[in-house]
Amino acid sequence: MNKSLADKENLLIMLTGIYDQLEELESVLEASFSEQRVRLKTEEQGKLMKPIQKIAFVEKTINKINPIYNEENPDFNPNQLSKSLKLELGY
C-alpha cells in the first residue's frame, strides 16, 4: 500500500513538473509569436507603401490630364477617394 502511495506521489510530482514546463513554454511561445506578428505587420505595411504611392501618382496624373472630373462634378473630391483607397489597401 505504501509503495502504491509513493508511486502516486512520484507521478504527481512528475505531472506537476510537466505542467510547469508547459506553462513556461506557453509564455515563451506567446512572446515569440507576438514578435513575429509585429515583424510581419511591419513587412506588410512596407510592401503596401509602393502600390499606395503608385496609386496616388496615377490619381494626380489623371487629375492633371483630365481636369474635367473637378469641373463637371463639384461634389467630387479626389482626396476622399484617395483616403478610401488607402483604407482599403491598409486591410
Side-chain angles (χ1 to χ4, degrees), residues 31-81:
S32 177
F33 281 128
S34 178
E35 291 172 7
Q36 185 75 357
R37 275 196 240 46
V38 169
R39 187 183 63 77
L40 287 173
K41 181 179 175 184
T42 303
E43 281 181 17
E44 291 302 313
Q45 286 176 341
K47 289 177 184 177
L48 288 174
M49 285 310 296
K50 278 189 178 180
I52 289 171
Q53 290 169 347
K54 286 180 182 180
I55 289 172
F57 176 75
V58 168
E59 286 176 346
K60 287 179 186 177
T61 305
I62 289 173
N63 285 336
K64 286 180 185 176
I65 293 172
N66 200 359
I68 296 172
Y69 287 116
N70 294 331
E71 294 173 4
E72 284 184 358
N73 190 356
D75 296 333
F76 178 76
N77 186 353
N79 292 331
Q80 288 177 341
L81 180 62

Side-chain angles (χ1 to χ4, degrees), residues 8-42:
K8 287 180 183 179
E9 287 177 2
N10 285 338
L11 182 59
L12 185 59
I13 290 169
M14 287 191 307
L15 289 174
T16 303
I18 291 171
Y19 179 78
D20 291 341
Q21 289 175 355
L22 287 173
E23 280 189 332
E24 184 179 334
L25 178 62
E26 180 182 19
S27 65
V28 169
L29 286 174
E30 180 64 33
S32 177
F33 281 128
S34 178
E35 291 172 7
Q36 185 75 357
R37 275 196 240 46
V38 169
R39 187 183 63 77
L40 287 173
K41 181 179 175 184
T42 303

